[in-house]
Amino acid sequence: DQQVKQNSPSLSVQEGRISILNCDYTNSMFDYFLWYKKYPAEGPTFLISISSIKDKNEDGRFTVFLNKSAKHLSLHIVPSQPGDSAVYFCAASWNSGGSNYKLTFGKGTLLTVNP
Amino acid sequence: EAQVTQNPRYLITVTGKKLTVTCSQNMNHEYMSWYRQDPGLGLRQIYYSMNVEVTDKGDVPEGYKVSRKEKRNFPLILESPSPNQTSLYFCASNSESNEQFFGPGTRLTVL
């Protein structure tokens, strides 16, 4: 039973345009959501996060939107750059036992930004 | 520099030959975990540790063991590796703000 779903295995966009990566979740207990970026031959790196008490969080070119009623979040990258080409993982956690440490990851979306 | 290190980065072994993948972090984090990444399956947690001498199973623990004798180290042990454990393995540690820092990965091939 996949609790965090990234239904698009890949996405291709032109440099300068917007990239929108989507993520759906099924567990209504999740209250903290994160996006990670992964280049080949490297470990994932944290990109941006959002708490369930918010519906938007912005950090430079990256914005994450959370729609709790739809159990959906999205990552917007504007403008997209070729260096953004990577696999993006959506992850979620909930406050079990006093900590939010356990993350459940989606399968990832490969973003390719074409020059 | 704050980091998570793993060794070895690449390993080819044979079925049944015990192996250990080491993981070390220099950030004094209490929570550490191991993941495996497989095509089409994303990252799945194998084991985690809330602190020294406190470990628990993740989502795919079968065939693996861990230990946490000291805060900085969290080795992953495969007592009798099998080909279905061929994968890319990541160690991670969490800050108190729940930012998860990943190691560079260990690519394991079991023949």
Side-chain angles (χ1 to χ4, degrees), chain B residues 82-99:
Chain B
S82 62
N84 65 10
Q85 293 178 296
T86 292
S87 187
L88 180 56
Y89 291 86
F90 291 101
C91 180
S93 70
N94 283 48
S95 67
E96 289 185 0
S97 60
N98 205 27
E99 182 178 342

Side-chain angles (χ1 to χ4, degrees), chain A residues 36 38 43 100 102-103 107, chain B residues 37 40 45 59 90 98 100 103:
Chain A
Y36 283 81
K38 184 184 179 303
N100 270 51
K102 186 184 189 307
L103 297 181
K107 293 182 179 182
Chain B
Q37 183 189 1
Q45 191 183 58
D59 299 318
F90 291 101
N98 205 27
Q100 198 158 61

Side-chain angles (χ1 to χ4, degrees), chain A residues 32 34 36 38 41-46 87 89 93 96-97 99-108, chain B residues 9-10 31 35 37 40-43 45 50 58-59 88 90 94-100 102-104:
Chain A
Y32 192 66
L34 309 92
Y36 283 81
K38 184 184 179 303
E42 294 183 13
T45 55
F46 170 76
V87 176
F89 290 101
S93 67
S96 69
S99 72
N100 270 51
Y101 293 147
K102 186 184 189 307
L103 297 181
T104 300
F105 284 85
K107 293 182 179 182
Chain B
R9 293 292 311 278
Y10 302 91
Y31 187 96
Y35 294 87
Q37 183 189 1
L41 295 176
L43 287 158
Q45 191 183 58
M50 300 284 284
D59 299 318
L88 180 56
F90 291 101
N94 283 48
S95 67
E96 289 185 0
S97 60
N98 205 27
E99 182 178 342
Q100 198 158 61
F102 283 85

Side-chain angles (χ1 to χ4, degrees), chain A:
Chain A
D1 177 30
Q2 198 182 348
Q3 298 187 64
V4 178
K5 301 177 184 179
Q6 293 178 255
N7 291 319
S8 297
S10 63
L11 174 67
S12 184
V13 300
Q14 284 300 121
E15 181 178 5
R17 307 293 289 268
I18 184 171
S19 295
I20 300 177
L21 296 100
N22 293 304
C23 178
D24 297 293
Y25 61 96
T26 59
N27 189 340
S28 57
M29 298 289 289
F30 287 142
D31 60 6
Y32 192 66
F33 304 90
L34 309 92
W35 284 94
Y36 283 81
K37 177 179 178 179
K38 184 184 179 303
Y39 293 117
E42 294 183 13
T45 55
F46 170 76
L47 193 57
I48 192 169
S49 63
I50 187 167
S51 164
S52 61
I53 62 173
K54 295 185 175 182
D55 55 18
K56 176 183 174 181
N57 188 26
E58 192 171 350
D59 183 3
R61 297 186 296 114
F62 303 91
T63 303
V64 56
F65 295 92
L66 175 62
N67 182 333
K68 287 189 292 293
S69 61
K71 294 192 177 68
H72 176 84
L73 63 154
S74 60
L75 174 68
H76 293 212
I77 306 173
V78 183
S80 301
Q81 300 173 353
D84 296 329
S85 298
V87 176
Y88 289 79
F89 290 101
C90 172
S93 67
W94 79 92
N95 197 340
S96 69
S99 72
N100 270 51
Y101 293 147
K102 186 184 189 307
L103 297 181
T104 300
F105 284 85
K107 293 182 179 182
T109 297
L110 173 63
L111 172 65
T112 302
V113 180
N114 301 303

